[in-house]
Amino acid sequence: MQNENKKSQTLILPFIKNNGDKMIRRLKQAQMPAFGWMFAVIVGVMILFFVIYFLGKTIQTETKESEVILAKNFDILLNPFSSIGSSGPISMGKIINLGQESKIKFDCNDYGLGYQTMAIQSKSAFGKYGELINIDIPDKYIFSKELNGKSFYVLSKSFELPFRIDDLIYILSENYCFINAPDKIKEQFEGINLKKIRFNDCLDGDIDVCFEKSNCDVSVSGSKCEGFFCDNAYEYGIVKKEGKEIGFVTDALMYSAIFSDYKLYECNFNRLMNRLDLLIDIHKNKIGIIDPGCDSKMLNSELSTFKDYIKLKNMAQLSTSSKNLYEENSDLECPVF
Amino acid sequence: MKNKKAQMKIQEMAFVLIAIFLLFSMAFIFYIKLKSSNLEKTSYELKQSKALSILDKVAAMPELSCSKSLGKESLCIDEDKLEAMNMVELDVYKELWRGIKEIKVKKIYPADKEFIVHSSDIKDYESYSSFTRICRQKYDNTVFYQCSIGIILVSI
């Protein structure tokens, strides 16, 4: 047995010795294609990963860019609505089409002259809403609820108390129905082909705005302006909606209270009052500079009284004081405003 | 011989990888260049439209515009108000003109006078201007308005 084992060992060992290196080389060669494949797959996956990541980032940046452009353009498109400077009826009513389904929300800060922020989010080609873009709008007074849609109705009206403070912008995306509206209000919308506001012929889904009537989505009541020279239907009053009572003075602020949400109205009202305060100072300074031939100094005390009422935010007092100021200014040989 | 072949293959693969990397990098750089030039163009156009719309806005600002008592002629800038505004702390208005370098109103004929409505330390800006009427209330037995030609200059 032992001899037989020795014999086989003497036969196998030299064979292994001779062919071992070759076998290892062959085994390594057999592993090479597998390594080549693995390497190709890893590099391929890495390239694919980078391409997908890069494409994702690019789409994200493109969406963000187009949204910033959309927001900036929207702000620029609103500029003509805030620089008309004409008094009387609704001075401008137009449709702004953004070209893509968008969600717009306004916020406001009332410190000093304050500013508004517009958060815009638009639908991409894939049907999803993109990133929320915020831009600051310091030079406008926009009254609106949260907006949803492609096109929006934009109206503007000059706010005068008694001199022009600025043009107020109203943006609507819902339908409104004015019930029992005074003729003055109907006149103000004449010439503007605005399908979003109906008078009396209400449809389902409309927001009902009742004048001197209750049990509506929004009810308006107040002191009407009587007389031929009235620019406003209401001198001051209250708008009741969503369980809240919102005070207003002049028609411009009445529309603001109707079309905007409560928080935005309050904030923009404070901004407007701060602006009015500064305008009073400018008018007072103007009285000091004006040609000595023009004696407008008697307006100074009325302006000071009016300035005091601004802080109280009493709508009736503001309206009366503004009327007094207007009359005194009209009586002057050189009107200050 | 076989070792050299394998080395050649590895070198080949490395070169292919470098070539792919270079190709991708070049495509990326080209894309970035194109994108940034497009962005610059869009930003310039946006700035331009903003400046042009502000030119209209400045003339209609209640702080500067002529009084309503002028009637149809009230589309002008009130010189008294320009001076009165300079007496108010202009810093309060900084918030209103955020992003704008400078707003100037210049009387060019007959007299030459300049009023700065707003000024900030923004660098790299462009100026746009439009003609306007600058009027002042005068009294000589009756009230009248003395007007001159001016320009509104907005730098953004």
Side-chain angles (χ1 to χ4, degrees), chain A residues 109-128:
Chain A
N109 180 307
D110 60 4
Y111 180 74
L113 287 178
Y115 61 90
Q116 274 190 269
T117 52
M118 177 171 70
I120 192 164
Q121 211 176 6
S122 63
K123 233 179 203 175
S124 68
F126 306 106
K128 269 190 174 180

Side-chain angles (χ1 to χ4, degrees), chain A residues 58 79 136 164 275 286, chain B residues 31 35 53 60 63 78 98:
Chain A
T58 310
N79 273 343
D136 290 349
R164 187 173 154 264
R275 182 93 180 264
K286 186 185 166 179
Chain B
Y31 173 80
K35 214 56 239 159
S53 63
E63 283 83 353
D78 189 333
R98 218 194 294 172

Side-chain angles (χ1 to χ4, degrees), chain A residues 166-188:
Chain A
D166 212 332
D167 297 316
L168 312 185
I169 300 170
Y170 319 109
I171 310 176
L172 344 170
S173 67
E174 290 162 305
N175 293 320
Y176 287 84
C177 182
F178 284 9
I179 302 161
N180 198 27
D183 290 340
K184 267 255 146 51
I185 288 179
K186 285 180 193 162
E187 279 167 25
Q188 286 178 6

Side-chain angles (χ1 to χ4, degrees), chain B residues 16-27:
Chain B
V16 168
L17 278 177
I18 290 166
I20 288 171
F21 178 75
L22 281 175
L23 188 79
F24 273 104
S25 311
M26 273 162 73

Side-chain angles (χ1 to χ4, degrees), chain B residues 29-46:
Chain B
I29 289 165
F30 178 72
Y31 173 80
I32 293 289
K33 277 261 175 206
L34 197 80
K35 214 56 239 159
S36 67
S37 76
N38 273 348
L39 261 177
E40 267 170 35
K41 201 181 150 200
T42 317
S43 136
Y44 176 75
E45 280 169 1
L46 280 173

Side-chain angles (χ1 to χ4, degrees), chain A residues 64-127:
Chain A
K64 199 169 179 177
E65 185 197 324
S66 70
E67 272 177 351
V68 171
I69 293 169
L70 192 76
K72 287 273 176 198
N73 272 331
F74 192 54
D75 178 29
I76 291 165
L77 282 171
L78 289 177
N79 273 343
F81 291 89
S82 65
S83 54
I84 308 154
S86 66
S87 56
I90 297 281
S91 30
M92 207 168 173
K94 289 250 172 346
I95 299 170
I96 289 185
N97 194 335
L98 291 181
Q100 56 203 103
E101 204 74 29
S102 309
K103 277 184 197 171
I104 303 172
K105 205 182 168 199
F106 294 96
D107 212 340
C108 173
N109 180 307
D110 60 4
Y111 180 74
L113 287 178
Y115 61 90
Q116 274 190 269
T117 52
M118 177 171 70
I120 192 164
Q121 211 176 6
S122 63
K123 233 179 203 175
S124 68
F126 306 106

Side-chain angles (χ1 to χ4, degrees), chain A residues 39 54 58 62 65 69 73 79 82 115 136 138-139 160 164-165 275 285-286 289-291 333 335 337, chain B residues 13 28 31 35 42 46 53 57 60 62-63 67-68 78 83-84 88 92 95-96 98 137 139 143:
Chain A
F39 186 74
F54 178 69
T58 310
E62 290 269 339
E65 185 197 324
I69 293 169
N73 272 331
N79 273 343
S82 65
Y115 61 90
D136 290 349
D139 57 346
E160 291 168 16
R164 187 173 154 264
I165 298 159
R275 182 93 180 264
N285 291 341
K286 186 185 166 179
I289 298 164
I290 219 162
D291 193 316
E333 211 152 2
F337 50 85
Chain B
M13 203 171 274
F28 182 70
Y31 173 80
K35 214 56 239 159
T42 317
L46 280 173
S53 63
K57 216 173 145 60
E63 283 83 353
S67 67
K68 243 172 83 181
D78 189 333
E83 275 178 22
V88 177
V92 192
E95 189 65 56
L96 199 70
R98 218 194 294 172
Q137 219 171 20
Y139 188 82
V143 65

